[in-house]
Amino acid sequence: MSETEHNYAARVGVTESAAERVLTLIKMEGKPNMMLRIGVSGGGCSGFQYGITLDDTIGDEDRVFEDQGIRLVIDQTSLDLLDGSMVDFVEDLVGSSFQIKNPNATSTCGCGSSFSV
């Protein structure tokens, strides 16, 4: 498997706002090889919860995508649940956060960090 798989069937994208924020965070970390890791784990108020971190490692089960000038790394199990999702960075009066618009989610919680399928 190659490090970057541009033609993999499942895709996850990022908005321009999310890409700008990730690039800012990478610059602040001082590690240009960092990637945005997106994962799904059991838990949260709706059954699954999202995890978003910066990471510089790629595991055997990970898939790597590029969008808007950043690299995203997602493990295969999470990718199955995130297929077609879009990551956004939103700033409003309450604060700022990354949000995932997941077309596979049948319901989400009020905070937007957990979902069910």
Side-chain angles (χ1 to χ4, degrees):
M1 166 184 20
S2 67
E3 180 178 309
T4 304
E5 295 189 7
H6 295 282
N7 297 322
Y8 191 75
R11 298 289 301 178
V12 175
V14 295
T15 64
E16 186 176 336
S17 175
E20 288 175 4
R21 182 62 179 165
V22 170
L23 289 171
T24 298
L25 293 171
I26 290 171
K27 186 175 180 179
M28 289 169 55
E29 287 285 326
K31 298 179 180 178
N33 61 333
M34 297 292 269
M35 300 167 285
L36 184 67
R37 177 174 289 280
I38 305 169
V40 174
S41 60
C45 48
S46 294
F48 293 102
Q49 60 187 6
Y50 299 114
I52 300 176
T53 60
L54 290 179
D55 197 351
D56 61 358
T57 60
I58 300 170
D60 291 340
E61 295 296 315
D62 290 337
R63 303 294 180 261
V64 179
F65 304 100
E66 290 187 38
D67 192 24
Q68 301 280 345
I70 65 165
R71 293 191 305 161
L72 296 95
V73 61
I74 306 166
D75 66 272
Q76 182 61 53
T77 302
S78 296
L79 188 58
D80 292 340
L81 295 167
L82 293 168
D83 183 19
S85 294
M86 183 65 69
V87 180
D88 194 9
F89 184 74
V90 178
E91 296 181 89
D92 56 27
L93 294 176
V94 180
S96 58
S97 64
F98 285 101
Q99 296 180 1
I100 297 178
K101 294 175 178 73
N102 186 344
N104 306 303
T106 57
S107 66
T108 59
C109 68
C111 66
S113 64
S114 69
F115 69 101
S116 63
V117 289

